[in-house]
Amino acid sequence: MPLQLRSLAGGFGAEIDVDLTSSAARGSSVELTQALHRHRLLVFPGQHLNHADLLAAAALFGTVDTDVDRTYAVPGFPGITTISNIVEDGAHVGIYDGDDEEEWHADGSFKPNLPRATLLYSVITPEAGGQTRFADATRAYTDLPAELQEEIKGLRAVHSIRHLGDLQNQASGGQSSTATGSLAAMPDVEHPLVRTHPVTAARSLLLGSMVISGIVDMDAEASARLVAELLEHTTSPPYLHTHHWRQGDLVIWDNQATLHTASPCDSSRHHRLLYRATIR
């Protein structure tokens, strides 16, 4: 039976009612992947997944990336990373960059090869805050004026995990997980500002509010101004969808066609715990 999809607010994304541990889901791998490419964001509510289930769900969409930050990896389950604001024995149990951080990005853009997709599964959901906001970087590019599309054609940006860690530390009072993680010494990489999707051939903007240290062959001031202009456009209301987490939600997004950011969450009052897997 074909998957039943409900469109989300924001002009992209869809919700699907299917148990990702079921034979129906396992038999719909191709259809699910096609839906991801078409909608760029999929929400699967009401899941009950252990770590093995999450890896199996991720495998429906491709090969799980095991090259993750070892500091926050789940032991015994290669490819799963913990994201949380919970503190145990004086230390954070997962990736945490401060209560107020808002950092628009595509996952792993500081690597030479951008992950294809990311899955995020909510186990402990805050009563207030902690939403994830998504920006449709594909439609945002399409709507750019023709002269601006021509201006940015061929430009390449430097994505730097060290630059990201420095800005996160400044924004959060020294609480950057990136700066203390096992990937912190990775060398800078270059990516085009405008990417062509390897499956859909659609063009989209690859941006970041903290990870981009500059644009190749452009002075720092002009570079920062251009990135800020493009980011302001891409993250403006016409291209946004905000996901309000419910316990058991699994969300997967096309990491080559969207940007995302967490929203502020008061960790002293509201705990959040999610597990992440990415597709290489």
Side-chain angles (χ1 to χ4, degrees), residues 70-246:
R70 296 185 303 276
T71 310
Y72 313 105
V74 176
F77 294 91
I80 297 183
T81 301
T82 304
I83 297 175
S84 180
N85 64 5
I86 299 171
V87 175
E88 292 180 355
D89 300 323
H92 283 279
V93 302
I95 292 175
Y96 170 77
D97 298 307
D99 283 3
D100 299 320
E101 187 202 17
E102 295 182 272
E103 183 235 332
W104 286 102
H105 64 286
D107 284 332
S109 73
F110 48 78
K111 296 181 177 181
N113 297 307
L114 200 67
R116 289 174 49 199
T118 299
L119 298 91
L120 204 54
Y121 176 58
S122 179
V123 176
I124 298 176
T125 306
E127 294 181 5
Q131 304 94 342
T132 302
R133 289 183 289 153
F134 296 93
D136 187 347
T138 303
R139 194 155 45 91
Y141 171 78
T142 301
D143 289 349
L144 286 176
E147 59 271 20
L148 184 52
Q149 290 185 0
E150 183 64 25
E151 178 185 340
I152 64 178
K153 183 173 66 176
L155 293 182
R156 299 180 65 84
V158 177
H159 291 244
S160 169
I161 193 170
R162 287 170 290 185
H163 185 72
L164 170 61
D166 289 344
L167 292 186
Q168 284 180 329
N169 271 332
Q170 293 173 26
S172 64
Q175 299 198 73
S176 170
S177 298
T178 301
T180 58
S182 66
L183 303 178
M186 290 189 68
D188 296 352
V189 297
E190 293 180 13
H191 291 295
L193 274 180
V194 181
R195 281 181 53 90
T196 300
H197 197 284
V199 176
T200 68
R203 292 179 179 177
S204 62
L205 293 164
L206 178 55
L207 303 167
S209 56
M210 292 185 179
V211 73
I212 293 178
S213 62
I215 296 176
V216 177
D217 297 329
M218 185 178 291
D219 69 69
E221 184 177 345
S223 172
R225 186 168 57 248
L226 177 58
V227 171
E229 177 187 352
L230 294 172
L231 195 60
E232 182 180 14
H233 166 74
T234 304
T235 61
S236 62
Y239 310 109
L240 291 188
H241 172 76
T242 299
H243 183 69
H244 299 267
W245 289 96
R246 300 154 295 189

Side-chain angles (χ1 to χ4, degrees), residues 6-23:
R6 296 184 298 277
S7 296
L8 300 175
F12 71 111
E15 185 171 275
I16 305 177
D17 287 321
V18 63
D19 179 354
L20 287 169
T21 66
S22 67
S23 58

Side-chain angles (χ1 to χ4, degrees), residues 14-77:
E15 185 171 275
I16 305 177
D17 287 321
V18 63
D19 179 354
L20 287 169
T21 66
S22 67
S23 58
R26 292 193 297 273
S28 301
S29 176
V30 171
E31 191 177 355
L32 287 169
T33 302
Q34 290 173 342
L36 177 62
H37 291 150
R38 184 167 63 253
H39 295 280
R40 298 186 280 285
L41 171 67
L42 299 177
V43 178
F44 298 89
Q47 303 298 308
H48 302 278
L49 308 177
N50 57 32
H51 292 324
D53 292 333
L54 178 56
L55 287 177
L60 295 174
F61 297 90
T63 302
V64 177
D65 186 3
T66 58
D67 182 23
V68 301
D69 196 319
R70 296 185 303 276
T71 310
Y72 313 105
V74 176
F77 294 91

